[in-house]
């Protein structure tokens, strides 16, 4: 991945792994297409050795089992487990129509600590807090950012379409605030984040918190975010010729699984990039991958947040694909991605307390 490019303006990616999308259209500008690229060996190995797609004859539940097993195998081969933490406890949180699992990782026992809710990827159809990749990231961020990490196992499509997954995540935030004392949390120092579909849900939660008078979150961490479910931004990116012919997240069927009506894709809670007003949202850090079809919408969102006066930072990672942030065993670029995510969380949660505590914000 090498050194990340950074753009910062004040007042301005696991479960969402790499899969082959439909054939890329001919570049719109033939004078400057990118058709081939030399990938890092670890990234090329992932492409060569990972099966593409999921058998269509399987039921949704069987497809989910297949994706779960594939995620576990890929992570066992290419990922590093997370460090030991003080405790890991499961809570079954009541939501409309049922309960969801919230897995809570705590770095140490004493005192009330900041909290970070994390939402896994998987195209709204797949993924779980119980996957090894989700566990490893939660442990690292818990231990190294010195905050309680809460993994939210929101219900999945197509059995649970919009707005159920979003409602589950919003309910998890409300539950966290209501139970902050029992959880040993500082209710005024909470953040939210996610990867891919999880980043979509995290961004949508911040919009709901603002518009519905919900909890005031300190920060949002958006990794390889999917923010335009009309797919218009992604299709334009594919047609522009700026991406090489590499595997892309299978996103064309995600909206049809997540949404009962395609017109819902224009709802800003489905496509936060389309929200008219982005002011008064939590400060954000947006992480994008150079060779990801979702790169453009993530970077457009970061720009729009900044223009709206939201303190926002952005990093684009050279040589990265949509799902390569989990290659922590085999690729330094993935390890740098995870370190940068930890740094962003640590700065967000501890900067204001550093004067009293002696903690020096990471740079």
């Amino acid at each position: 991945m090498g050194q990340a490019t950074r753009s910062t303006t004040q007042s301005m990616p696991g479960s969402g792994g790499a899969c082959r999308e439909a054939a890329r259209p001919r570049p719109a500008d033939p004078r400057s297409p990118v058709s081939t690229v030399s990938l890092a060996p670890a990234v090329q190995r992932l492409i060569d050795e990972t099966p593409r797609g999921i058998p269509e004859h399987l039921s949704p539940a069987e497809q989910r089992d297949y994706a779960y097993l594939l995620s576990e195998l890929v992570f066992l081969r290419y990922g590093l487990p997370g460090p030991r933490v003080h405790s890991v406890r499961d809570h079954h949180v009541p939501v409309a129509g049922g309960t969801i699992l919230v897995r809570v990782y705590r770095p140490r026992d004493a005192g009330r600590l900041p909290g970070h809710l994390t939402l896994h990827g998987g195209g709204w159809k797949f993924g779980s807090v119980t996957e090894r990749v989700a566990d490893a990231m939660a442990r690292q961020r818990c231990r190294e950012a010195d905050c309680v990490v809460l993994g939210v196992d929101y219900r999945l499509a197509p059995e649970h379409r919009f707005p159920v997954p979003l409602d589950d995540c919003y309910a998890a935030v409300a539950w966290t605030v209501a139970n902050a004392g029992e959880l040993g949390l500082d209710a005024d120092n909470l953040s939210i984040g996610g990867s891919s579909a999880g980043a979509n849900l995290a961004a949508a939660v911040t919009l709901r918190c603002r518009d519905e008078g919900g909890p005031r979150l300190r920060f949002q961490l958006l990794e390889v975010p999917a923010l335009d479910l009309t797919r218009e931004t992604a299709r334009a990116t594919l047609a522009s010729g700026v991406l090489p012919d590499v595997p892309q997240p299978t996103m064309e069927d995600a909206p049809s699984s997540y949404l009962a009506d395609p017109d819902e894709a224009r709802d800003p809670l489905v496509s936060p990039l389309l929200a008219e007003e982005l002011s008064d949202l939590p400060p954000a850090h947006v992480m994008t991958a150079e060779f990801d079809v979702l790169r453009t919408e993530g970077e457009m969102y970061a720009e729009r947040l900044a223009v709206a006066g939201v303190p926002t930072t952005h990093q684009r990672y050279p040589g990265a694909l949509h799902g390569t942030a989990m290659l922590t065993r085999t690729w330094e670029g993935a390890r740098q991605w995870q370190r940068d995510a930890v740094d962003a969380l640590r700065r967000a949660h501890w900067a204001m307390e550093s004067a009293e505590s002696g903690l020096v914000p990471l740079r």
Side-chain angles (χ1 to χ4, degrees):
M1 198 177 284
Q3 187 66 32
T5 59
R6 179 188 294 270
S7 60
T8 305
T9 309
Q10 304 293 339
S11 167
M12 79 156 144
S15 295
C19 301
R20 178 74 64 181
E21 198 178 53
R24 183 163 59 88
R26 185 181 301 277
D29 181 2
R31 295 169 298 176
S32 58
V34 179
S35 57
T36 60
V37 67
S38 179
L39 298 173
V43 175
Q44 188 64 56
R45 192 175 309 123
L46 175 71
I47 294 172
D48 293 341
E49 297 177 354
T50 303
R52 304 285 185 269
I54 294 176
E56 294 181 359
H57 68 274
L58 299 178
S59 69
E62 290 169 333
Q63 289 185 4
R64 197 166 294 130
D65 289 343
Y66 182 99
Y68 187 97
L69 291 172
L70 183 59
S71 171
E72 295 292 89
L73 290 170
V74 169
F75 186 76
L76 284 169
R77 186 162 191 169
Y78 301 110
L80 289 170
R84 292 178 62 86
V85 297
H86 175 73
S87 64
V88 181
R89 294 179 180 169
D90 287 349
H91 298 261
H92 295 279
V93 174
V95 294
T99 61
I100 59 171
L101 169 67
V102 175
R103 179 161 290 180
V104 179
Y105 298 78
R106 189 172 181 84
R108 51 191 171 92
D109 188 37
R112 292 198 174 188
L113 295 173
H116 175 66
L117 291 96
T118 182
L119 311 178
H120 63 78
W124 301 271
K125 299 169 60 178
F126 308 118
S128 171
V129 300
T130 64
E131 289 181 340
R132 281 178 167 83
V133 62
D135 178 74
M137 287 192 295
R139 287 175 177 273
Q140 182 178 6
R141 294 171 188 193
C142 169
R143 177 75 172 267
E144 296 179 12
D146 195 27
C147 64
V148 177
V149 172
L150 302 95
V152 180
D153 219 28
Y154 56 89
R155 289 172 290 180
L156 300 174
E159 297 93 334
H160 303 285
R161 299 182 187 272
F162 173 79
V164 173
L166 175 58
D167 288 344
D168 287 352
C169 297
Y170 189 77
V173 173
W175 174 85
T176 300
V177 172
N179 293 275
E182 177 187 342
L183 295 168
L185 289 171
D186 177 356
D188 295 322
N189 195 349
L190 300 178
S191 65
I192 195 166
S195 175
S196 193
N200 169 286
L201 293 167
V205 165
T206 68
L207 290 170
R208 281 191 62 177
C209 285
R210 180 196 67 184
D211 296 342
E212 299 178 18
R216 188 76 178 176
L217 299 172
R218 174 166 291 194
F219 180 66
Q220 52 182 317
L221 176 64
L222 307 180
E223 302 174 67
V224 291
L227 298 169
D228 178 6
L229 267 66
T230 70
R231 303 295 290 143
E232 292 172 4
T233 306
R235 291 189 188 108
T237 301
L238 286 170
S240 71
V242 299
L243 297 179
D245 185 17
V246 295
Q248 295 294 344
T250 306
M251 290 290 297
E252 289 295 342
D253 66 335
S256 63
S257 297
Y258 182 44
L259 306 178
D261 181 345
D263 289 341
E264 290 178 319
R266 298 203 170 273
D267 187 324
L269 294 179
V270 173
S271 298
L273 183 63
L274 305 185
E276 291 186 7
E277 180 57 67
L278 295 180
S279 62
D280 199 29
L281 291 173
H285 183 59
V286 182
M287 305 173 75
T288 60
E290 181 183 16
F291 300 140
D292 180 11
V293 69
L294 302 182
R295 177 185 97 188
T296 305
E297 56 208 73
E299 295 172 5
M300 289 174 64
Y301 196 67
E303 282 188 35
R304 288 201 58 212
L305 286 170
V307 169
V310 176
T312 302
T313 53
H314 162 247
Q315 286 177 281
R316 179 198 291 178
Y317 289 82
L321 277 62
H322 186 75
T324 52
M326 49 77 72
L327 299 177
T328 48
R329 185 183 298 277
T330 58
W331 192 33
E332 171 57 24
R335 293 188 288 273
Q336 185 63 52
W337 182 296
Q338 301 303 336
R339 288 194 294 266
D340 289 344
V342 165
D343 287 353
L345 287 174
R346 194 172 182 96
R347 285 194 301 270
H349 286 300
W350 290 105
M352 293 183 67
E353 287 75 16
S354 61
E356 296 87 8
S357 68
L359 177 67
V360 178
L362 300 178
R363 300 185 185 277

